Every structure is written in C-alpha cells, then in structure tokens.
Amino acid sequence: MPSIADLHTHSLISDGRLSPRDLVDLAYRNGVRILSLTDHDIVDGLPEAFAAAEEYADMTFIPGIEMSTDVPGNEVHITGHFIDWQDEPFREKLAQLQKSRLGRAEKMVERLKELGRPIEWERVQSFAEGAVGRPHIALALVEAGHVASVNEAFDLYLSRTGPAYVERERLEPEEVVALIRGVGGLATLCHPRELLAAGGLPELLARLKEAGLTGIEVYYQDYFDTEMATFKELADRFGFLPLGGSDYHGLGNPNQREPGNIPLPIGPVNELFKLAEERGS
Ligand code: AMP
Ligand code: FE
Ligand code: FE
Ligand code: ZN
C-alpha cells in the first residue's frame, strides 16, 4: 500500500543516486505529496529540492537530515524534520562532520590497500558529490573489480564488523537529538530492526524519550507486518509518533523500495505537522 508521505529519502548529495530535483520528480510521479529529503549529515541538497517541490502546487516539502550516532556495538541513525537548515552554528557542526567523514573514508581506503584491495582515492571522491560515505567506497570497489556489487562490498569489507571498517567521530544519540531540537527540528529514530536484534532497544528509547525524541520509524522499507506491529507497540508505549519512510537511495539494493512505497498512514504525519507548528518550525 503506497503512502502519500515519505519522510526518509536520499539524493546524490549524500549516498543516493538521484539529484534532489530528480528525487522530487520521481516521488511526485509515485503519488507522494509530502516529502522529506534526509541526506546523511548534510543539508546542501535542500535548496534544489525545495525549488523542485515548489513547481507542484500540491506538494509539501519538509527540510530534513539524517544524522549518524554510535552506541557500543551499533549505529543509531536519527532523522530531523522541519530543521532550520540555514542556522550558522548548525552548518558549522555539519562541516566538521564532513571533514571527519573524509578522514575516515581515507583511512578505510588505506585499510583496503593493506587487504590487497587497492582503490584510488580519486575514484571514491568522484562518486561523492557531497557527504562521502561507505557506499562511495563500495562503488569504487565494484569499479575496480574487487567485488560484484555494493552489497558484496559491505558483506566482505565495509560493514561494521568488516575488516576495512573504521569508526568515525562519535556522536551520542542524545547529542544529535539536542542538535536537531536546537534548530527547531523534530527527531525520529530510524530503522530500529538492528537495534531490536542487538537488544536494549527499550532502554535506548527511554533515554531518547528523556532527550526529546519525537518519533520512531515503524513503516520502513522492507519491514514485515510483524516487525511493524512490534515497533508500533513500542511507539505507543513510549509516546512516540509512528513514522517512517522508504530510505530510498536508488542504488538498486534488493530490499530497496521506491519513494512512497511504504504503508505510512497520514495520521501520525499530520501529528508531526501539528508539533512543528507548535514549535514554530
Ligand atoms: P556511512 O554513512 O559512511 O557510515 O555509510 C552508511 C550507509 O551505507 C548507509 O546509510 C547505507 O546507505 C549504506 N549501507 C549500510 N549497510 C549497507 C549494506 N549492507 N549494503 C548496502 N548499503 C549499506
Ligand atoms: Fe545511506
Ligand atoms: Fe540510515
Ligand atoms: Zn537513510
């Protein structure tokens, strides 16, 4: 069941394939009328996405971001919606994160060389228009013929437990929620499947409730009905809005969903708009 809202998508400004404009056009063609672009740690795609969405009288665009944080043994991604992306201190913080992403990616390329899988740093950079990430390293590995696909690159080298993995600058989940709230945004915990599997999700949710988290992704990409029911129950228990999105990257992963191809109901999205209005975002 497709939704008219999609709160989680990526463009080539981070690790997606489409330009912000092409992403907006594709989402609109798919029936999406409320869209957020949530690139990783970067807001540079928002002006183009805004401009593209403005050409559709019945489309509402929400400025967004997805930020990476770490807890021991796992990554925690948090999206922010209705952020004041022009806030100067916020942009400085993002610039710092970009720098640390670059340094970390260079170290991963170094590791790959030691592992006998050399790739040129220039090739990695050629795939990254904005925020550089592991998917760009994966594309360079595919191009060099070391692996057959992006997925294989993650499976063999780049996943959190992979031999070429390098940690990045650590941000605590609470810090990121505070950053997002500091620029008038509403924060949502992303794709909780791995967090549930690792254990300790209720404890994390309790921490994040305290920190001011607004929502949790319940309707995500390829989640099964049983998983969505579990996350909906957790959302209700902690008083979080049950939100979600396709997390569309357009890189052809087998579990990929098109923009809007998620069963996100409009009720919680309307609640999100109400909260944003109350915050004056
Ligand atoms: P980074 O931001 O550099 O830590 O890279 C994380 C990104 O890599 C995620 O946002 C996904 O887009 C992508 N990713 C993570 N795991 C996988 C995987 N197993 N297969 C393909 N892409 C992945
Ligand atoms: Fe990504
Ligand atoms: Fe994510
Ligand atoms: Zn994402």
Side-chain angles (χ1 to χ4, degrees):
M1 179 182 51
S3 174
I4 64 157
D6 195 334
L7 301 176
H8 186 166
T9 63
H10 296 274
S11 76
L12 52 67
I13 298 300
S14 65
D15 56 359
R17 187 177 58 89
L18 298 182
S19 70
R21 173 169 292 275
D22 288 348
L23 174 75
V24 167
D25 289 344
L26 173 63
Y28 191 87
R29 284 201 303 278
N30 285 1
V32 174
R33 296 296 178 265
I34 298 167
L35 177 72
S36 187
L37 172 63
T38 51
D39 275 321
H40 296 283
D41 300 325
I42 194 163
V43 293
D44 296 6
L46 296 178
E48 184 182 318
F50 258 119
E54 257 171 25
E55 288 170 24
Y56 301 106
D58 58 344
M59 189 175 217
T60 304
F61 181 76
I62 304 172
I65 192 163
E66 178 174 13
M67 301 191 71
S68 307
T69 82
D70 288 278
V71 290
N74 230 324
E75 267 172 71
V76 174
H77 291 186
I78 294 174
T79 44
H81 295 106
F82 299 101
I83 52 167
D84 175 7
W85 52 281
Q86 299 186 18
D87 181 87
E88 233 0 273
F90 183 62
R91 295 176 73 103
E92 273 163 32
K93 181 74 197 170
L94 296 182
Q96 188 190 321
L97 290 174
Q98 296 316 321
K99 245 172 102 182
S100 104
R101 274 181 169 277
L102 271 175
R104 177 237 199 181
E106 278 169 340
K107 278 189 206 148
M108 292 185 72
V109 168
E110 203 50 45
R111 285 261 173 99
L112 284 163
K113 193 172 158 195
E114 289 158 18
L115 290 163
R117 298 291 179 270
I119 50 176
E120 296 293 330
W121 173 243
E122 288 67 33
R123 296 311 303 149
V124 175
Q125 279 192 308
S126 78
F127 291 116
E129 298 267 337
V132 64
R134 280 178 287 165
H136 305 116
I137 300 175
L139 288 168
L141 280 167
V142 174
E143 187 184 64
H146 296 312
V147 292
S149 68
V150 166
N151 270 333
E152 193 179 302
F154 272 89
D155 288 346
L156 295 181
Y157 303 108
L158 305 176
S159 75
R160 206 182 169 81
T161 51
Y165 183 78
V166 175
E167 294 270 338
R168 78 171 119 224
E169 183 185 353
R170 272 179 179 280
L171 282 179
E172 295 292 327
E174 284 92 343
E175 262 181 275
V176 161
V177 173
L179 262 173
I180 288 169
R181 287 182 60 105
V183 289
L186 298 165
T188 293
L189 178 71
C190 296
H191 38 71
R193 177 190 275 164
E194 288 72 25
L195 297 169
L196 183 72
L201 181 59
E203 291 74 17
L204 176 67
L205 290 177
R207 274 171 61 186
L208 292 180
K209 181 74 192 176
E210 190 77 10
L213 191 82
T214 296
I216 169 173
E217 283 188 333
V218 170
Y219 309 95
Y220 178 80
Q221 215 171 74
D222 58 343
Y223 280 10
F224 301 114
D225 288 350
T226 48
E227 292 178 293
M228 291 191 275
T230 300
F231 296 129
K232 174 69 166 60
E233 194 273 319
L234 282 167
D236 292 344
R237 194 195 314 168
F238 286 92
F240 294 132
L241 290 179
L243 301 171
S246 62
D247 202 1
Y248 178 78
H249 284 72
L251 292 175
N253 290 348
N255 54 349
Q256 187 76 69
R257 292 291 182 277
E258 285 273 302
N261 191 6
I262 29 133
L264 170 63
I266 195 65
V269 178
N270 288 335
E271 293 294 319
L272 187 73
F273 272 90
K274 240 190 264 170
L275 288 176
E277 231 162 78
E278 282 165 23
R279 297 206 56 172
S281 308

